[in-house]
Amino acid sequence: MSTSPRLLVEPGRVVLSGCWTLAEMLPQLAALEAKLVACTSHNDWDLSEITRLDSAAAVLLWRTWGARWPDGLVAAELHRQVLKRVAELPQEIAEQARPRLRFPEMVGALLLKAVGNLLGMIALFGQLLLDAAYLVRHPQDVPWKEFTANVYKAGAQALAVTALVGFLIGVTISYLSALQLKSFGADLFIVNILGISIIRELGPVLVAVLVAGRSGSAMTAQIGVMRVTEEIDVLSTMGISRTIRVVLPKIFGLTVAMPLLVLWTSAVAMFGGMLAALLQLDLSFAYFVDNLPRAVPVANLVIGLSKGVVFGFVIAIVACHFGLHVKPNTESLSASTTSAVVTAITTVILFDAIFAVFTRNIGVP
Amino acid sequence: MNPSPVIELNGVGVSFGGKAVHRDLSLRVEEGQIVGLLGGSGSGKTTLLREILGLLQPDSGTIRLFGIDLNDPDVDRQRNLRRRLGMLFQQGALFSALSVFDNIAFPLRELRCLDADWIRRLVHLKLAMVGLEPTHGKLMPAELSGGMVKRVALARALALEPELLLLDEPTAGLDPDRSQNFVELVGSLQRELGLTVVMVTHDLNTLAGLATHVAVLADQRIIAFGPKDEVMTVDHPFVTGFFGADRRKLL
């Protein structure tokens, strides 16, 4: 018995035979469709030779017949049932409407989303304050283990990568500045340039960008997956506050780890700069270290470390906010993680600008 | 018509972290059989299904579907083989980023041969088959109830008109009425298309209403396989325990 679907036009009737299933039709689909179209005028169809008829083939036949039963149809009861199921479908199946967004609507939706996110972060901040007040009254509930785990994950494990990036940036800035300074005969100012730029500005911002990409995305993804798998809800049903156990340790962990990372990265970057200065300008380490406090008042270090604290807090709160608003599907998870990193870095730069304005008279000799 | 059995497992062994899950397991399912796969929790029923699907490579032994070895290096042959089977995963495993309609349409679109109208009709047909309304097509998987997820997943498994249907706990989480509908649906599909079905189930009603054959998985291998009423009389602690008092009712 042949398995491939076949169509024979005999005088006065159409005879179908073989296996009319999707898998068997696929190799010769175009030819079969063409043959069927040529037969639309026939009214006598003999389907009794068909061994198998699946719903894909039934839909094809039903379309060929113009959505009505041919008068002279011969078919086994089993196959008639398959066709009947197709026939019972509503004749006109509406195409799925795709929502179309107009430009003003899009802008408005974006604006509303931004406002919503801002409100969400303010609410999360308020919740944090409430939780902190609760923990002050119930010190035994402080999640120390989660807190230290987060300091280790976001801080200790980031030491290598921040050191590498810091060192390279230090070398680059020192090298490029040295070329300029040499032509003016102002070699000694390399200490001022490196000190102010790295300690006050580059160290904190550099670390913030790295940490936002590294720890911020991880926080969003972790909380997001916990939401998708309903683990967050499990915590609630156990009477454990999700903000105290999940969000708070992340935010305070990063707030503590960030200034330490800033200190570390700035130190390594300064070392890189010193090394480049030694090679390029023959400026000894001893001279550099001696003159650093004179060129760069200690206020700059305080500003740099405070930036670290604020940036860490901002990154963590943005990351946690987006994590908590992940919808239970993969698309939303990826979109939220992207938004979290982008928003965190943008907000960090914004806060950096605010810092620059409000500390413009401080720490510049 | 097809001389080779639909599923043929020979001496399959698999172990996780030194703990043997299957040892020298053999099974032979012929075309048109509806096999109920029984076994205690953790006896490796889902693992067996994953091996049959080729998602899990056994440490030893061979697996043949429709006479084709799963390790066949021919990519085209492998892909065509996969199109001949449909799988209903235990948790549904719907694509969470796609709507119900798109979930069912996805395998059909991947064929790149069918036009949009044909696909739309087929999707609505499958939705109707599993007892869902056309309006349900717009919903996202996250908006569905547990039973609906299962039915959508079945509709998706049926989308490509498979010859071999693997069901992992198909009626768990369905109300008795729905699960009766499900049994009738799979039964009628089987009659119309000559489907071969392998299902893991703990539901005695599903088993009694649907299965023609029963395979019992215990002690890391298939300890009994045969027509339903024969297997029920096998003297093994698991079999007697499982059917227990219900044995008489089912017979």
Side-chain angles (χ1 to χ4, degrees), chain A residues 1-3 19 21-26 29 33 51-60 62-63 67 78-79 81-82 85-86 89-98 328-331, chain B residues 1 31 83-84 95-97 99 101-102 108-109 111 113-118 120-122 124-126 128-129 134 137-138 140 142 158-161 163 185 188-189 191-195:
Chain A
M1 202 191 319
S2 107
T3 56
C19 233
T21 60
L22 189 58
E24 298 289 347
M25 287 194 303
L26 275 182
L29 194 59
E33 275 188 284
T51 47
R52 279 184 186 184
L53 180 72
D54 70 6
S55 47
V59 169
L60 185 62
W62 190 249
R63 285 204 310 186
L78 218 55
H79 299 148
Q81 271 177 13
V82 180
R85 233 187 242 139
V86 177
L89 277 185
Q91 290 303 314
E92 283 304 313
I93 293 169
E95 189 138 4
Q96 285 208 307
R98 302 230 175 252
N329 66 62
T330 47
E331 193 62 38
Chain B
M1 193 156 65
E31 189 177 332
R83 283 189 185 154
R84 295 170 74 175
F95 298 118
S96 58
S99 69
F101 183 95
D102 291 330
L108 294 167
R109 285 182 184 145
L111 292 175
C113 292
L114 311 185
D115 56 70
D117 174 68
W118 195 350
R120 202 159 55 238
R121 280 169 189 274
L122 274 177
H124 284 284
L125 188 65
K126 306 286 163 189
M129 270 186 186
K138 292 196 194 87
M140 296 304 281
L158 291 173
L160 283 185
E161 315 285 352
E163 293 166 56
L185 167 68
S188 67
L189 282 174
R191 278 192 301 281
E192 283 161 20
L193 300 170
L195 283 180

Side-chain angles (χ1 to χ4, degrees), chain B residues 20 23 59 64 78 84 96 130-132 193 217 230 242:
Chain B
R23 197 178 291 153
D59 301 335
R64 288 169 169 275
Q78 285 284 328
R84 295 170 74 175
S96 58
V130 295
L132 292 171
L193 300 170
L217 188 62
E230 274 178 34
F242 186 85

Side-chain angles (χ1 to χ4, degrees), chain B residues 37-49:
Chain B
L37 187 60
L38 303 179
S41 291
S43 61
K45 300 183 294 290
T46 302
T47 309
L48 186 61
L49 283 192

